[in-house]
Amino acid sequence: MIQKLLSRTCNTHGQDSSYFLGWQEYEKNPYDPIANPTGIIQMGLAENQLCFDLIESWLEKNPGPAGFKEDSALIFRELALFQDYHGLPAFKNALVKYMGEVRGNRVRFYPNNLVLTAGSTCANEILMFCLADPGEAFLLPTPYYPGFDRDLKWRTGAEIVPVHCSSSNGFRITAAALEEAYHRAHKRGLAVKGVLVTNPSNPLGTAMTRRELDELVDFVVAKDIHLVSDEIYAGTNFAEPGFVSVAEVVADGRADACRGRIHIVCSLSKDLGLPGFRVGGIYSDNEAVVSAATKMSSFGLVSSQTQYLLAALLSDEAFTAEYVAENRRRLRERHDALVRGLRGIGIECLESGAGLFCWVDMRHLLSAVTFEGEMELWKKIVYKVGLNISPGSSCHCDEPGWFRLCFANMSEDTLSLALSRLQTFVGSCRNRPHCSGGDGRTRRQFLARWVLRSSPASDRKSER
């Protein structure tokens, strides 16, 4: 009876995805080194806990902003009273400066083009409301963040059309794949309003090359559609050749052709590790989009207290310079530890240089080269091994056997334990006839069989 009182919208959130189901299982039995040492280790959460000590040290040295003080005077009342949805100028100025810093100051951002939102989830949904009517579509390269099925579609009525990418070229976006997705959308009667990419990629951990960005910009200009570049992982890049923002491509002689159609999503959740602060933004040179998004942001504002504190933090140039460099060093160190550990037990990762996770190839551990085989393996890893990882099918990957493993939301000891558990599982798997295990020769034979039975279209699932 209670269920009947709810609207249809309430029943289409998408939490039946294995991505969310894994979280639910973790929450029932969370690992704790003392209280629950056999519990499930959370490797499905892209959270950065590696540099909290740097922020905590800054807070200890600068107690004023957290205590709502300015020049020793209490400003609690000013912050507690109503603030309009344009945001505090000091914070917007500090945020655009920080956006430039994490991009190597190769491009400049302006506060008047920035709309503050309560996190990137809110930012992406607002952009869908602004750019697409219900039933119109955005193209998304696969694999993509599972939450987009909720963030982009749930309340907006927009559609997602996958751009199929393959492991044969490291899941890179190609002009041919974009064209194929565009024509497939039109065959379904869908008007394509734009392309949305995550750069650096979630779940791949790769940054787009300049060539990919140029081809992508050429495509949206030719089709007269929008490009949304979700760059919330910009500050997590830790390897050369490095991250290139689409803003750099626009600034490099493409401003006229791109005017009004390029929109960047930013956040402080991933590089600063502050998802609980709910700080995101939309950056666009399209005045109509900025105006509409600013009005819509009233449904998801960033609190004045949060803006005041972070304005002080991000305005400290010595702190941000130290933080950006040290964060990259620690991310690289942790990433390399996971890659080495997995390689030692016969599991390889897609080469990556950004993000808080690795895209891990477990195809040789499948009992069958199907998505059913992938789910069977995933359930064993969650329930028997005690690791919550994200299966590739939840990210709409076309090839079964890929998984996303996060590495920055736990201690070194917990990561070592996770690798130890996985090593025990792979070792036991080698002794089973239905599983090829981690042996290198068997792995190569398995991958050869996969290549022979694959084709660009034959194994694709229908639109998910």
Side-chain angles (χ1 to χ4, degrees):
M1 177 62 70
I2 293 177
Q3 190 71 20
K4 292 181 180 179
L5 298 176
L6 301 178
S7 71
R8 287 190 297 272
T9 302
C10 292
N11 297 319
T12 56
H13 184 273
Q15 281 201 258
D16 57 345
S17 162
S18 53
Y19 174 77
F20 293 109
L21 291 176
W23 278 44
Q24 293 172 19
E25 293 306 311
Y26 164 76
E27 289 168 357
K28 294 175 187 176
N29 183 27
Y31 166 78
D32 182 273
I34 305 299
N36 191 20
T38 61
I40 296 175
I41 296 173
Q42 174 63 291
M43 301 189 81
L45 175 61
E47 194 170 72
N48 185 1
Q49 300 181 17
L50 300 185
C51 289
F52 276 160
D53 60 306
L54 301 182
I55 298 176
E56 289 167 345
S57 175
W58 185 91
L59 290 170
E60 289 176 358
K61 296 174 183 176
N62 301 272
F68 308 133
K69 291 183 178 181
E70 185 175 53
D71 297 327
S72 300
L74 192 64
I75 60 167
F76 171 78
R77 292 189 181 187
E78 289 89 333
L79 294 174
L81 295 175
F82 175 78
Q83 304 284 344
D84 74 27
Y85 46 38
H86 291 89
L88 300 182
F91 176 60
K92 293 181 74 173
N93 287 328
L95 182 55
V96 294
K97 180 177 173 296
Y98 179 73
M99 289 171 63
E101 185 172 6
V102 299
R103 291 161 177 80
N105 290 314
R106 295 182 297 272
V107 64
R108 185 177 178 183
F109 297 92
Y110 300 92
N112 289 343
N113 292 347
L114 178 67
V115 179
L116 298 179
T117 63
S120 61
T121 295
C122 181
N124 278 311
E125 184 184 57
I126 286 175
L127 280 172
M128 289 301 106
F129 274 122
C130 290
L131 304 178
D133 286 322
E136 294 181 329
F138 262 72
L139 309 182
L140 268 69
T142 63
Y144 62 78
Y145 165 55
F148 281 152
D149 293 318
R150 169 201 63 195
D151 303 349
L152 308 183
K153 297 172 56 177
W154 184 29
R155 300 192 297 185
T156 67
E159 295 290 334
I160 292 175
V161 176
V163 178
H164 295 297
C165 300
S166 165
S167 64
S168 62
N169 70 343
F171 296 98
R172 293 291 179 181
I173 302 168
T174 65
L178 289 167
E179 287 287 352
E180 191 274 334
Y182 186 84
H183 290 297
R184 186 162 21 93
H186 278 276
K187 286 183 179 179
R188 293 175 55 193
L190 297 173
V192 176
K193 297 305 295 288
V195 181
L196 186 148
V197 298
T198 57
N199 183 32
S201 168
N202 177 12
L204 299 177
T206 56
M208 294 180 67
T209 65
R210 179 60 188 258
R211 178 178 177 179
E212 282 181 284
L213 287 168
D214 284 334
E215 289 184 345
L216 185 57
V217 169
D218 288 343
F219 177 80
V220 299
V221 170
K223 302 298 185 187
D224 193 24
I225 58 178
H226 293 274
L227 172 60
V228 176
S229 182
D230 184 329
E231 299 185 358
I232 67 172
Y233 288 95
T236 69
N237 181 80
F238 52 78
E240 295 301 330
F243 164 70
V244 179
S245 171
V246 70
E248 298 175 50
V249 177
V250 173
D252 191 15
R254 308 291 294 273
D256 289 339
C258 295
R259 184 165 287 115
R261 71 174 75 250
I262 308 294
H263 320 281
I264 295 172
V265 172
C266 62
S267 170
L268 297 180
S269 294
K270 304 305 180 182
D271 47 2
L272 281 182
L274 302 175
F277 278 40
R278 308 308 305 146
V279 178
I282 298 167
Y283 189 87
S284 175
D285 70 349
N286 187 316
E287 293 182 4
V289 169
V290 170
S291 176
T294 299
K295 296 181 180 74
M296 296 190 74
S297 72
S298 61
F299 294 99
L301 298 173
V302 183
S303 75
S304 299
Q305 298 93 322
T306 298
Q307 292 186 57
Y308 178 72
L309 170 61
L310 294 179
L313 180 79
L314 296 180
S315 296
D316 187 333
E317 295 181 3
F319 168 79
T320 56
E322 177 192 8
Y323 183 91
V324 169
E326 183 62 13
N327 183 53
R328 285 174 174 164
R329 187 192 70 79
R330 295 185 188 184
L331 285 172
R332 179 58 184 260
E333 186 178 76
R334 184 61 64 84
H335 164 274
D336 290 353
L338 176 59
V339 171
R340 282 194 307 271
L342 290 172
R343 185 168 292 151
I345 56 179
I347 298 175
E348 295 293 333
C349 303
L350 181 72
E351 184 175 352
S352 60
L356 311 174
F357 32 74
C358 288
W359 188 239
V360 179
D361 183 0
M362 296 190 187
R363 289 177 290 178
H364 58 300
L365 297 177
L366 299 178
S367 61
V369 192
T370 62
F371 287 103
E372 290 76 15
E374 177 181 281
M375 291 307 297
E376 177 188 341
L377 177 60
W378 175 72
K379 289 177 181 178
K380 288 179 181 177
I381 292 174
V382 172
Y383 294 107
K384 295 183 178 180
V385 183
L387 306 178
N388 175 38
I389 64 177
S390 304
S393 55
S394 72
C395 304
H396 298 267
C397 183
D398 285 337
E399 302 172 16
W402 292 89
F403 295 82
R404 191 192 75 168
L405 274 66
C406 298
F407 56 74
N409 62 322
M410 64 190 73
S411 68
E412 288 184 48
D413 288 343
T414 302
L415 179 61
S416 295
L417 175 60
L419 288 168
S420 176
R421 289 183 181 183
L422 197 55
Q423 182 177 27
T424 301
F425 170 72
V426 172
S428 66
C429 190
R430 287 194 183 105
N431 299 322
R432 298 173 188 165
H434 67 274
C435 181
S436 22
D439 176 76
R441 182 168 175 268
T442 310
R443 174 187 170 81
R444 289 192 295 271
Q445 291 173 344
F446 173 86
L447 295 181
R449 292 197 302 271
W450 167 255
V451 171
L452 287 172
R453 68 179 291 169
S454 299
S455 68
S458 63
D459 279 349
R460 285 181 185 157
K461 294 177 75 72
S462 59
E463 304 296 313
R464 295 192 286 265

